[in-house]
Amino acid sequence: MKWIKSRAVLAGLIVTAVATFGSVAAAQQRELILSGFGGAYDEAMAESVKSFEKENNVKVTIIPGSGANNIARVRNKEIDVIVSDPVFALRMEAEGSFAPLDAKLIPNLKALHPKAIYSDAVIAANFGAYVIAYNPAEVKPPESWYDLAKPEYKGRIALRGFRPENIELITLFAKLAGGSERNPDAGFAELAKIARNIDVWINAHADHLELYRNDQIAMSMWTDGRIAWARDVEGVKIQGAIPKEGFFPLSSTLSVVAGRPNGELSQKLVNHLLSPESGVRMAEKLGYFPTNRNTVLPPELQAKLMLNPKNIDDLQSADWKYIVTVYDQWQSRWDREVQR
Amino acid sequence: MSDSIDIELSHCGKRYRNVDVLNDVSLQIKRGEFVTVLGPSGCGKTTTLRIIGGFIIPDEGQVTIRGRNVTHLPPYRRNIGVVFQNYALWPHMTVFEILAFGLRIRKLAREEIARRVDRALEMVRLTGLKDRYPRELSGGQQQRVAMARALAIDPEVIILDEPLSNLDRRLREDMRIELKRLQRSLGVTMLFVTHDQEEALSMSDRVVVMQSGRIQQVADPRTVYERPANSFVAGFLGSANFIDGDVLAIEGNERGRVRLAGGSVVDAYAPSGVRSGDKVRVIVRPEWMLLRREPSPVAANEFSGVVREVIYEGAAVRYGLSPDDGSDTLLFLQERSNADVLEPGDKVRINVSNAVIAED
Amino acid sequence: MSATQSLQRTEIRGRGLGVNAGELLGRSSVFLPFVFVVVFFFIPMGWLVATSLSTHEIGSPPEFTGTLEHYARFWTDPFYLETALWTTIKLSVLSTVFALLIGYVLAYYIAELPPQRRGLITSMVVVSLAVNIVIRIFGLNVLLMNGGLVHSVFGLIGMPRIRIMYTELGVLIGLIQIAVPYVVLPLIGVIAAIDPALKEAAASVGANRYRTFWAVTFPLSLPGVVAGTLIAFTLNAAAFAIPALMGGGRVRMMGMMAYEQAAIQGNFPFAAAIGISLTILSLLITAIYLFVVSRTFRTLR
């Protein structure tokens, strides 16, 4: 049995060595896990956090996250800081998964535009703008959200299903008709009207692009950043128009997950991502407008964005804390009344 | 046996990729005949059968069944029964359904179908097995079901593709008798294909010997055996010795005298077309030779020789002999008498009781 | 050396170790795959069932209480029954039927070819399996979209240019395309294995080609038919890429709903309930199918 014994001893040695080296390495460098959106967003963030890593002697690992995947990760406390949207973030906060944002550690909090603050633990780092996208060769620039329901556009419109931007649209229509988040019937009714004009309920940005390219639709709701990409990079005939009733933000929220080892460092990371330098970089790379009011964008850059310091106040935002509590009911209504 | 012709092939040919599988094959089979097509593998016998069955269409020539030109008709329009080598019984049907299948196609009434199935089963002595599946039957039973299937539809003609080759020896011999008995009592025309010459000889009214796509000889079994048309037929249907010689004279009645290579002279059967002076090969089967041990006065049809090999087979002894005339052919003959067994080196006199001049 | 010899040798060595390593080797070769199945299939399935019986509330993670509310939400709601449930059954059954019709013809033709000529056509049928599903859908889109190739053909032959993409018809076509290779592959082998003499025997007693097919070929090919259609059916019943990308948001199938609820809406318990319901539904339909077929056709017994 000699060979068994010696094998066991050897294995034991290897395991011990690895563990020792591993823990030594871990002790030497701290790590923060930052969950992003994947793709260009994560690339932009990666560039931005380089200086943070150096200043704080920390490694920031960026992993792509999406939808419900994030929920699992947050519940399992696998990540430190999460980039998300108000719907998910507020849900997670309600479960007690986030740590409140500390103004002492995050001085940039004070400089945020009020519309970017959703709660103690959820704030937006930047905004995209949801506007009406249209093909200028096919239709005149639309002036109102109600234009989407016009009979001459039957079969030429696309929307994205039960997503935050459509929830905002329901709320807006409800408010315009005298209702509110708590009384949204008018909103659902208007969406049901628009639904009759819908060619396709889209899922992915690539599909959205193809619909314009193949001339399947003439109008839809899209972000200014994506419209610019479709027009300038992909060469599709498309423009964006801000309707007179206002427009909706695409919020990229930041939150700190509670119960992780490097809580203070995570808050500092949030601060860094809210900084003007970070804001400028996100605007450059992704066309997103920074929520930090102290950020000054160079004029050529600002000219490319639809959002600017003047019209940012026109952003419509629903009471997301309330909506998160009735989310399932609204979804049921959406399935039955709108997306048929 | 009447004189009407049930199956006729005229000048049929079939080619596969530059190889002539059948070459100018013509054949006539009379009503009620039991004809066997005999030959080694690749001789074209199966192709001939399949052309008659309708599974192959010949490149040249015609097939006629009872006067109808069926050359291009598919099998289901010819009224032929087929018995396949591996029986081809449909595994998902009971014996009853297998036999009834063809009758149902003919839209017969249920009682008629039941009657015919019972009758067919009786003919092959398988009554009582109606509800069995093929996998529940022995090899011999399966073979009889295949037979019954062919009989049940009352065909004009039945063709059988080596139906007994998959049976063991004892069963095969029993089935030969059964088959022949059946054919006789029903009077149905049968075309039987085999490579087994014993089968062919024991069962047939006539034998068709084929080789390399051509018919070598068509005759009743006795003629084919005792008057083989050429060396191939002679060699295929039993053992044969081949001796070269010159024709000395032709007498009437298809007899001739031939001087063999060594100088001895024998009487032989001479087919028409052989002339005096021709160089020929003479076929002598082992059982057509007798040995005489004592030196005796020289008689006709005899020559001397020396025993070279002795093969003791129990019921017979086979000797390999060298003729004294210096020719180096080794002749084999058999003795079934109670005479003493000879030794190699013994001198003997060989008497040739029968010989045939080959046509090739 | 042969397997038995090497096993014996291992046994002898094993005895020297005080343990019968040979026997372990033999048992472990069955044991390990079994463990794999249990760990990577049954345990996650168990977790899924538990999740489907948990609560879903804003403000707390799912808690296992044994509640049936999610199953009730799906099964008692006429909306879900009329859309998701009915669409799933309808499209998975229809696509399987059409795939069988198309696939059987193809498999029959391929099986009739001599073995050396089969390769090209078989690869043509089966190559779609090697292509990523999203790419396939893009290809189908080019073909089926408004103004696409099919519409051009419709125009040429004077047919009305009905919408295909983003409708149930489009999803059906996508599902059929997925299913055909799965039906063709098992059938080729099964049909080719049918002894040609069986068909000739049928012809010899008077069966024309049509009759021979239905009485001999088809019944004997049934095991292949059942195998292929079952694979196609269960695959399509759970489909989510095709209805999600080709349905335009209006064609709801249960697999797609489960995915949406899990990955986009984050309602894990509801998603699990839909998923488990779909599994039970598929098993039920499969059981009924096998029962009916084995009753009608004795070749499967």
Side-chain angles (χ1 to χ4, degrees):
Chain A
M1 321 235 184
K2 256 195 233 161
W3 66 271
I4 287 187
K5 274 212 202 124
S6 55
R7 270 209 187 174
V9 167
L10 187 61
L13 277 174
I14 293 177
V15 168
T16 318
V18 167
T20 319
F21 280 126
S23 55
V24 163
Q28 276 179 352
Q29 180 165 66
R30 296 170 295 179
E31 190 190 13
L32 288 181
I33 316 264
L34 170 62
S35 163
F37 286 138
Y41 199 96
D42 287 9
E43 280 169 25
M45 283 203 299
E47 276 187 37
S48 180
V49 301
K50 280 203 183 95
S51 54
F52 180 82
E53 283 178 312
K54 279 213 201 70
E55 283 164 25
N56 292 283
N57 190 23
V58 64
K59 178 159 170 26
V60 178
T61 309
I62 303 184
I63 53 175
S66 66
N69 210 1
N70 290 342
I71 301 182
R73 287 212 180 110
V74 167
R75 283 184 185 149
N76 289 340
K77 302 208 186 299
E78 286 170 13
I79 49 186
D80 292 291
V81 176
I82 178 170
V83 184
S84 181
D85 65 64
V87 180
F88 275 130
L90 289 170
R91 264 180 69 178
M92 291 291 100
E93 187 194 7
E95 285 182 23
S97 305
F98 293 153
L101 297 172
D102 189 340
K104 283 194 241 77
L105 294 167
I106 311 181
N108 281 324
L109 266 182
K110 290 191 286 292
L112 289 183
H113 192 283
K115 285 195 194 277
I117 301 179
Y118 293 97
S119 75
D120 291 336
V122 181
I123 48 103
N126 42 56
F127 284 149
Y130 273 111
V131 299
I132 302 186
Y134 66 99
N135 183 344
E138 297 273 327
V139 297
K140 299 188 323 290
E143 288 167 354
S144 154
W145 289 108
Y146 287 102
D147 284 356
L148 289 170
K150 282 196 183 156
E152 60 256 37
Y153 300 135
K154 189 163 173 55
R156 305 288 290 162
I157 306 230
L159 283 181
R160 222 176 31 132
F162 191 62
R163 297 301 187 109
E165 63 267 23
N166 288 332
I167 295 177
E168 302 272 23
L169 191 57
I170 293 175
T171 310
L172 178 66
F173 281 135
K175 284 186 183 155
L176 288 171
S180 70
E181 291 90 339
R182 286 161 175 75
N183 181 8
D185 292 350
F188 277 105
E190 189 62 31
L191 259 297
K193 269 177 71 183
I194 297 179
R196 280 187 242 126
N197 282 354
I198 296 270
D199 178 46
V200 179
W201 295 97
I202 338 164
N203 259 315
H205 291 300
D207 289 342
H208 205 150
L209 177 71
E210 292 305 311
L211 288 170
Y212 276 105
R213 204 205 294 273
N214 295 328
D215 199 24
Q216 301 286 298
I217 56 172
M219 238 196 272
S220 63
M221 191 195 317
W222 220 357
T223 60
D224 55 342
R226 285 290 173 176
I227 295 174
W229 164 72
R231 180 189 55 224
D232 302 329
V233 175
E234 299 286 337
V236 168
K237 288 201 207 63
I238 188 173
Q239 290 288 351
I242 302 181
K244 60 180 187 250
E245 299 91 353
F247 55 139
F248 315 119
L250 166 65
S251 302
S252 307
T253 62
L254 286 173
S255 305
V256 172
V257 176
R260 290 276 297 172
N262 294 310
E264 254 191 45
L265 212 50
S266 305
Q267 304 257 351
K268 286 197 183 153
L269 177 58
V270 170
N271 190 48
H272 177 89
L273 290 170
L274 291 175
S275 65
E277 296 81 41
S278 218
V280 171
R281 180 166 286 114
M282 292 313 234
E284 256 174 23
K285 299 261 175 213
L286 303 163
Y288 287 150
F289 188 79
T291 51
N292 185 334
R293 280 179 291 192
N294 291 338
T295 317
V296 175
L297 295 175
E300 328 79 68
L301 186 50
Q302 175 65 81
K304 290 201 202 138
L305 306 179
M306 287 187 89
L307 261 178
N308 54 52
K310 280 190 234 73
N311 64 18
I312 189 173
D313 292 315
D314 291 336
L315 278 180
Q316 302 295 318
S317 204
D319 177 0
W320 280 105
K321 267 199 165 164
Y322 171 72
I323 292 198
V324 160
T325 62
V326 295
Y327 190 81
D328 282 343
Q329 283 107 292
W330 277 42
Q331 189 188 12
S332 244
R333 286 191 70 170
W334 175 272
D335 280 340
R336 274 150 247 264
E337 296 173 39
V338 180
Q339 186 172 336
R340 299 214 64 141
Chain B
M1 248 188 288
S2 68
D3 273 344
S4 65
I5 297 179
D6 263 0
I7 306 179
E8 174 156 11
L9 291 176
S10 58
H11 304 287
C12 289
K14 182 76 186 168
R15 199 165 303 116
Y16 286 127
R17 291 180 194 233
N18 294 339
V19 176
D20 278 342
V21 182
L22 277 194
N23 201 326
D24 197 20
V25 168
S26 299
L27 186 56
Q28 282 182 349
I29 300 174
K30 301 202 204 43
R31 180 161 312 182
E33 263 200 298
F34 190 114
V35 172
T36 299
V37 180
L38 175 69
S41 14
C43 69
K45 57 188 192 295
T46 306
T47 312
T48 305
L49 179 132
R50 289 171 71 80
I51 285 184
I52 295 175
F55 306 109
I56 297 180
I57 301 185
D59 295 326
E60 295 125 17
Q62 251 193 21
V63 184
T64 322
I65 297 183
R66 290 211 181 162
R68 260 192 328 154
N69 181 347
V70 299
T71 323
H72 295 278
L73 279 188
Y76 49 90
R77 301 257 204 87
R78 312 187 188 196
N79 196 10
I80 296 193
V82 183
V83 181
F84 293 85
Q85 185 170 3
N86 60 359
Y87 320 133
L89 300 181
W90 304 301
H92 58 296
M93 296 192 198
T94 59
V95 168
F96 180 88
E97 290 163 343
I98 292 176
L99 300 188
F101 185 66
L103 304 173
R104 288 202 177 118
I105 294 176
R106 286 159 174 74
K107 297 210 179 44
L108 297 179
R110 277 179 61 189
E111 302 81 33
E112 176 68 13
I113 293 182
R115 197 183 62 80
R116 293 238 232 160
V117 168
D118 284 335
R119 191 174 60 130
L121 285 175
E122 255 177 63
M123 284 194 252
V124 298
R125 300 197 226 261
L126 277 187
T127 338
L129 291 181
K130 270 195 289 207
D131 294 317
R132 298 270 188 96
Y133 285 92
R135 61 176 175 275
E136 297 165 335
L137 302 172
S138 71
Q141 290 171 326
Q142 288 183 14
Q143 202 274 336
R144 281 188 273 171
V145 172
M147 192 67 217
R149 173 174 62 189
L151 289 170
I153 57 173
D154 250 343
E156 293 169 342
V157 156
I158 297 186
I159 59 182
L160 305 99
D161 186 1
E162 304 203 47
L164 307 182
S165 350
N166 293 343
L167 302 174
D168 63 75
R169 190 179 172 75
R170 172 114 315 144
L171 205 47
R172 209 182 322 161
E173 286 170 5
D174 289 341
M175 287 305 302
R176 278 186 214 158
I177 302 174
E178 282 262 345
L179 205 54
K180 187 68 187 177
R181 177 193 61 81
L182 204 54
Q183 192 265 342
R184 273 269 170 267
S185 66
L186 294 174
V188 64
T189 313
M190 277 199 195
L191 181 77
F192 190 93
V193 162
T194 184
H195 61 270
D196 182 335
Q197 36 104 299
E198 227 182 89
E199 232 160 54
L201 293 177
S202 62
M203 297 171 78
S204 330
D205 295 321
R206 277 194 298 156
V207 177
V208 178
V209 184
M210 286 187 74
Q211 154 78 321
S212 302
R214 287 179 195 273
I215 295 184
Q216 305 294 323
Q217 184 172 9
V218 182
D220 63 279
R222 186 146 178 195
T223 309
V224 150
Y225 187 80
E226 294 185 5
R227 301 263 179 270
N230 56 38
S231 322
F232 171 76
V233 177
F236 193 77
L237 262 89
S239 336
N241 297 300
F242 301 100
I243 316 175
D244 293 327
D246 303 297
V247 178
L248 288 179
I250 300 285
E251 286 134 32
N253 247 15
E254 298 176 315
R255 302 237 28 110
R257 296 188 62 80
V258 182
R259 190 204 349 259
L260 301 179
S264 1
V265 177
V266 294
D267 282 332
Y269 165 81
S272 55
V274 177
R275 301 273 164 264
S276 170
D278 285 348
K279 285 211 177 311
V280 292
R281 293 182 88 190
V282 178
I283 302 167
V284 183
R285 294 206 184 273
E287 64 268 22
W288 297 339
M289 294 191 280
L290 283 169
L291 290 181
R292 292 203 294 139
R293 287 154 178 75
E294 312 85 356
S296 49
V298 177
N301 290 338
E302 264 191 14
F303 52 92
S304 327
V306 177
V307 176
R308 290 268 176 257
E309 278 181 34
V310 178
I311 303 168
Y312 180 72
E313 287 174 349
V317 186
R318 269 204 295 158
Y319 294 107
L321 313 163
S322 268
D324 277 349
D325 49 27
S327 60
D328 42 24
T329 5
L330 203 56
L331 305 177
F332 278 92
L333 69 90
Q334 282 176 316
E335 268 202 337
R336 292 179 189 269
S337 68
N338 294 335
D340 301 320
V341 178
L342 297 169
E343 303 279 310
D346 287 354
K347 292 195 194 307
V348 286
R349 303 269 314 154
I350 306 161
N351 180 293
V352 177
S353 57
N354 191 17
V356 174
I357 297 178
E359 272 176 37
D360 51 2
Chain C
M1 65 173 90
S2 74
T4 11
Q5 282 178 306
S6 62
L7 207 55
Q8 283 167 352
R9 284 231 185 152
T10 326
E11 264 189 44
I12 296 170
R13 275 222 204 93
R15 291 240 167 73
L17 295 176
V19 83
N20 195 341
E23 213 180 281
L24 256 185
L25 188 68
R27 287 236 195 89
S28 65
S29 52
V30 173
F31 184 63
L32 287 174
F34 183 68
V35 166
F36 183 89
V37 171
V38 169
V39 167
F40 288 104
F41 181 70
F42 283 104
I43 292 182
M45 279 299 276
W47 177 87
L48 203 67
V49 173
T51 306
S52 72
L53 298 170
S54 308
T55 59
H56 171 76
E57 277 174 28
I58 306 293
S60 54
E63 226 179 270
F64 177 75
T65 58
T67 173
L68 292 173
E69 60 182 285
H70 304 290
Y71 287 99
R73 180 175 166 198
F74 184 82
W75 288 98
T76 59
D77 188 341
F79 175 73
Y80 286 133
L81 297 178
E82 276 165 27
T83 54
L85 181 68
W86 173 235
T87 309
T88 303
I89 297 177
K90 180 170 61 166
L91 291 183
S92 53
V93 168
L94 272 181
S95 64
T96 307
V97 167
F98 280 110
L100 177 63
L101 290 174
I102 298 174
Y104 199 102
V105 170
L106 282 171
Y108 191 86
Y109 173 71
I110 294 175
E112 295 259 291
L113 293 174
Q116 58 270 32
R117 297 248 302 272
R118 286 182 197 158
L120 180 64
I121 296 219
T122 313
S123 342
M124 281 173 65
V125 171
V126 159
V127 74
S128 59
L129 290 178
V131 178
N132 179 284
I133 180 120
V134 176
I135 312 281
R136 286 164 87 167
I137 294 175
F138 272 129
L140 283 172
N141 186 28
V142 169
L143 203 64
L144 301 175
M145 68 184 183
N146 288 340
L149 285 170
V150 168
H151 271 197
S152 311
V153 171
F154 280 179
L156 279 177
I157 62 178
M159 265 186 69
R161 294 176 180 220
I162 49 174
R163 279 189 59 143
I164 303 179
M165 197 65 193
Y166 304 128
T167 64
E168 267 190 20
L169 178 59
V171 174
L172 183 63
I173 293 179
L175 291 176
I176 295 174
Q177 199 242 37
I178 300 278
V180 164
Y182 293 104
V183 170
V184 168
L185 280 178
L187 271 178
I188 298 178
V190 168
I191 296 179
I194 299 178
D195 184 3
L198 291 176
K199 292 194 272 189
E200 289 177 350
S204 75
V205 294
N208 58 18
R209 300 178 65 115
Y210 180 80
R211 191 78 183 241
T212 305
F213 176 77
W214 285 110
V216 176
T217 312
F218 184 73
L220 291 175
S221 69
L222 263 183
V225 168
V226 170
T229 49
L230 273 184
I231 298 176
F233 170 74
T234 41
L235 223 54
N236 280 345
F240 76 92
I242 299 259
L245 297 176
M246 291 183 74
R250 291 192 172 99
V251 179
R252 292 177 162 87
M253 287 181 75
M254 285 167 78
M256 172 188 131
M257 263 189 82
Y259 171 76
E260 261 178 26
Q261 288 297 319
I264 299 176
Q265 306 297 344
N267 188 344
F268 298 138
F270 190 43
I274 298 178
I276 300 283
S277 300
L278 178 61
T279 308
I280 297 179
L281 182 73
S282 298
L283 287 174
L284 209 65
I285 296 186
T286 301
I288 297 176
Y289 176 50
L290 286 178
F291 179 76
V292 168
V293 174
S294 70
R295 272 290 144 123
T296 328
F297 294 98
R298 265 173 281 136
T299 38
L300 288 178
R301 293 224 198 106

